[in-house]
Amino acid sequence: MSTDLTLTTPALLFPAISLLLLAYTNRFLTLANLIRDLHARYRQDPQPHIRGQLDNLIYRIGLIRNMQVCGVASFACCVLCMGALFAGQIILGQWIFGAGLVLLLISLGLSLRELWVSIDALKLQVHDLDKIEPHP
């Protein structure tokens, strides 16, 4: 089995990482707008559940920031890997590419965690309705 690493191998990750970063940015912008809206509502009527939602959103924003950092670092590793391969430094290129894959995996893991937290927040929101109208 050959473990040849060519310039095209890290280049294949460019579109995937770019799409991930775009998705992360969209999630970030959506949450940022929601935080602004809830902040304004909280300043007018400081309800504990609104504060809880804001705390949850701030935690999720932190996760998204870390997702983006790992994604950008993974992207940078792909570029550095290509540079090392172009310079004939095959072993160095392999190590850098491996680091990029690990960073990408961490980014995806953080994305999964953020999704889980998002689902938990939605469940709490829906359970809040049970106080108003009991579920049959």
Side-chain angles (χ1 to χ4, degrees):
M1 185 166 123
S2 175
T3 57
D4 292 337
L5 184 64
T6 65
L7 286 172
T8 57
T9 305
L12 288 173
L13 288 180
F14 274 44
I17 295 172
S18 296
L19 287 174
L20 268 179
L21 291 175
L22 182 62
Y24 293 167
T25 300
N26 286 338
R27 286 162 89 171
F28 178 85
L29 292 175
T30 299
L31 291 184
N33 286 332
L34 188 55
I35 288 171
R36 287 183 187 99
D37 291 344
L38 283 174
H39 180 264
R41 279 182 42 199
Y42 185 77
R43 288 184 56 89
Q44 290 178 350
D45 184 21
Q47 296 288 326
H49 72 280
I50 295 175
R51 180 58 198 226
Q53 290 174 341
L54 284 168
D55 291 342
N56 177 278
L57 292 171
I58 293 298
Y59 176 71
R60 288 174 57 197
I61 285 281
L63 286 173
I64 293 172
R65 177 202 58 218
N66 294 338
M67 290 160 35
Q68 289 174 320
V69 166
C70 288
V72 168
S74 177
F75 197 68
C77 282
C78 286
V79 173
L80 292 172
C81 170
M82 291 175 70
L85 293 175
F86 187 73
Q89 300 293 321
I90 306 301
I91 301 297
L92 178 61
Q94 289 173 336
W95 279 100
I96 294 171
F97 185 69
L101 290 178
V102 169
L103 287 165
L104 184 57
L105 189 59
I106 292 169
S107 177
L108 292 171
L110 289 168
S111 177
L112 186 60
R113 174 69 183 140
E114 193 273 331
L115 180 64
W116 216 262
V117 171
S118 172
I119 290 168
D120 288 344
L122 290 174
K123 284 181 184 178
L124 286 173
Q125 186 73 29
V126 172
H127 285 301
D128 190 39
L129 293 177
D130 289 340
K131 294 176 185 174
I132 300 169
E133 180 180 318
H135 187 62

